[in-house]
Amino acid sequence: LAVARALLHRPPLIFLDEPSAGLDPVAAAALRDDLSTLAAQEGVTVFLTTHNLAEAERLCAQVGVIRDGRLIAVGSPASLRSRKGGDSVEVWGAGFSDGALDAVRALPGVRDATLQGDRLVVKVAEDVQAAAINRALVAAGADVSEIRRGQASLEDVFLTLVQEEREEAEE
């Protein structure tokens, strides 16, 4: 009801604090759709404060990360992901030896490769192809059963930013 009242006179700017808190999933999705439509079709600027980073990722063209009252990062979700989270390639299989890991880490655009349980997680630049990782692993003797490419979530980026901020404060 409060959101409906705020939108009734079609303001050019609206401030919302946790607008989907307490809503069931269907109502929250409908609210997100309505807010997206207002922004896209009517040019309404929606200033959203939320700890629900998945919702911010879906709704926001620009995101600001605030910690201890200070703005520590600002940008589009995609630009924040590319700066702090990046893309990743997850590989399932067997035989991920030290040599296989070294071969993957030596590929251009690979930032890091780590074993996490039964999968290899490779942090990569946007233009790195999963096929190149597959070829390097197979050439090093690994058995690859599945490969998935993904992006860091806004939550991953937030946690990285907060950790970096904490480490800078300790120095």
Side-chain angles (χ1 to χ4, degrees):
L1 183 58
V3 172
R5 277 186 33 212
L7 297 173
L8 191 59
H9 67 287
R10 296 289 191 238
L13 171 65
I14 183 167
F15 289 87
L16 297 174
D17 182 23
E18 300 287 351
S20 63
L23 297 179
D24 65 79
V26 173
L31 176 62
R32 281 191 300 274
D33 288 345
D34 290 344
L35 293 173
S36 293
T37 299
L38 276 173
Q41 293 180 356
E42 298 187 28
V44 174
T45 299
V46 178
F47 190 97
L48 176 72
T49 59
T50 184
H51 69 278
N52 183 339
L53 298 177
E55 183 170 73
E57 194 162 12
R58 282 189 222 116
L59 282 175
C60 300
Q62 292 288 309
V63 174
V65 177
I66 299 172
R67 182 163 193 270
D68 294 330
R70 290 182 341 123
L71 184 65
I72 61 173
V74 66
S76 69
S79 71
L80 291 175
R81 275 194 302 270
S82 68
R83 279 187 6 218
K84 294 296 176 187
D87 289 352
S88 65
V89 175
E90 296 181 36
V91 184
W92 285 264
F96 299 133
S97 64
D98 290 339
L101 289 173
D102 290 341
V104 170
R105 289 181 184 127
L107 293 171
V110 170
R111 296 182 180 138
D112 191 25
T114 57
L115 279 174
Q116 295 180 5
D118 64 342
R119 67 189 169 111
L120 175 64
V121 178
V122 184
K123 300 290 183 182
V124 297
E126 190 175 311
D127 59 345
V128 172
Q129 298 297 313
I133 295 169
N134 184 48
R135 281 191 299 273
L137 287 169
V138 170
D143 294 319
V144 175
S145 60
E146 183 177 349
I147 296 180
R148 283 191 217 152
R149 186 173 188 106
Q151 288 184 322
S153 68
L154 201 52
E155 182 175 333
D156 295 332
V157 172
F158 176 83
L159 293 172
T160 298
L161 288 165
V162 168
Q163 180 63 33
E164 287 175 356
E165 181 77 8
R166 184 176 298 131
E167 289 169 359
E168 287 176 13
E170 291 174 357
E171 291 178 352

